[in-house]
Every structure is written in C-alpha cells, then in structure tokens.
Amino acid sequence: MGSRPADAAGGQQQQQAEEPSMADVYGGHELTPLQKHAAFFDRNRDGIIYPSETYQGLRAIGCGVVLSAAGTVFINVFLSSKTVPANVKPPAFKFPIYVKTIQQGKHGSDTDVYDTQGRFVPEKFEEIFKKHAHTRPDALTDKELGEMLKANRDPKDFAGRVGAFVEWRLLYALCKDKEGFLHKETVKAVYDGSVFEKLEREKKEAKEFAKKK
Ligand code: HEM
Ligand SMILES: [Ca+2]
C-alpha cells in the first residue's frame, strides 16, 4: 500500500488526456510556420488537405457557403499540383494539398515573410509595418494594405498577384476591427496559423451565444 511518488507530489496522477501536438501527428517533426498555417485545414490530421477539408476549414472560420466553395476550388486547384511530392501520382480530380511540401506552393508578389522553406522571417514581418503602417505603427488600414500589395508586385506575375490579393483581402475582411484596422498581432498570427484557430473559437462562441438568446 505504499504511496507512489506521483501521489506524494500532490495527487496529480489523474492527468487529463492531452490533445496530441501537431508534431506528434505529423511524424514527430516540429512543423514549420507555413506548415502550421496550412495544417489548420487538414481537418483529420493525415497530412493531406482535400477540397472537403478546405471547405470545412473556411466555413469554420466564418466564410459563407459561396465564398468557401469558391475559395476551395481556387486554393486546391492552385496548390495541389505544386505541392504533390514528385514520387506521388494522385488520383485525378481529388486535388490533394500536401502539408509536408507546402513550401512548394509559395508564389511571387508576396511579402517574403515566409522564406523558401516556409520559415518565419522576423525582419520581413517588421518591414511590412515600417513601410506601410502610416496611420498608426501597429496596424494597416484598407488603403495601406492596398499600397503594400502594390509595392510587393513582381513584374509579369499575374498568378502571384492574384494569390497575394486573395490572401490579404480575405484576411482583412475576416479580421479588421470596427475602425477598419488590421492589427499587427493578427497578421503575426497568420504566420503560425493561430489566427485560424482563434477565428474558429470565436465563431463557435458566437453560435453558442445565439443559441442561448
Ligand atoms: C481564409 C483562409 C486563408 C487566409 C486568409 C490566408 C492568408 C494568407 C496570408 C495573408 C499569407 C501571407 C502572404 C504573404 O506573406 O504575402 C498566406 C500565405 C500562404 N498561405 Fe494562406 N491563407 C488562407 C488559407 C490557406 C490555405 C487553405 C492554404 C493551403 C492549404 C494556404 C497556403 C498558403 C501558402 C502556401 C502561403 C505562402 C505564400 C507565399 O509566401 O508565397 N493558405 N496566407
Ligand atoms: Ca486531411
């Protein structure tokens, strides 16, 4: 009947089952920030984002049916061919996006805050606000965002410009505050994907609140 050390240490033997971390799920490797950004949409955590998952993810963060459907087609068609590893031949019309090789989906006319390996580059992140946050140092207005997108345009890069436009305009629509500011901390949270988790939580809470009313 001897008490175990864990009991002696304050009865913490009833540890709650913790959710597995992303690293556990993705083969024991810590994910890069860009992999985390994409992994939010890998709803069943198997490393591949099928269109149904992109759709569910977009709905979960507050996009409507039409926007989510259009966004899914756009995202999966564009990123599937780029991210499928060279040794894999995916079934036709399934449009899988691979989280592991998501950095291959990088496009031009972006901020370069993600480097070519999908890592976060703090200097580039700071540069966004140094260069374009004129009204207040820690946020972007609608107009300032437009100015940034224009400044980032690479020559003759139609696809990259459209990609950057959609990413940033959608982010702005989802996350701007009442006065139309897109905050620096929100933009920071894009780069590790935590912004999506926050939006999903807020959406769930708003639903619960509406039910109770
Ligand atoms: C509502 C949904 C989404 C929003 C608002 C969003 C927003 C953004 C933003 C603002 C960037 C930064 C671009 C830059 O630094 O200029 C970005 C980059 C990126 N996102 Fe998303 N994203 C979304 C969904 C997705 C999904 C579903 C995927 C793929 C599964 C994805 C893959 C990427 C990739 C590959 C980049 C790197 C682009 C580059 O640096 O060239 N995103 N996203
Ligand atoms: Ca999946």
Side-chain angles (χ1 to χ4, degrees), residues 31 34 71 80 89 156 174:
L31 299 192
L34 179 55
S80 183
K89 193 175 183 313
K156 295 188 191 152
L174 289 169

Side-chain angles (χ1 to χ4, degrees), residues 107 109 149 153 160-171:
H107 50 72
S109 304
L149 285 168
R153 285 181 187 169
R161 288 180 191 188
V162 172
F165 181 87
V166 173
E167 285 158 2
W168 283 100
R169 283 295 168 200
L170 194 53
L171 180 69

Side-chain angles (χ1 to χ4, degrees), residues 42-50 53:
D42 178 10
R43 307 300 279 178
N44 66 353
R45 298 277 183 253
D46 68 350
I48 298 176
I49 306 163
Y50 285 108
E53 294 176 286

Side-chain angles (χ1 to χ4, degrees), residues 74-96:
F74 180 80
I75 292 168
N76 279 77
V77 169
F78 180 72
L79 286 176
S80 183
S81 57
K82 287 176 135 195
T83 63
V84 171
N87 57 346
V88 176
K89 193 175 183 313
F93 303 116
K94 290 227 167 170
F95 301 106

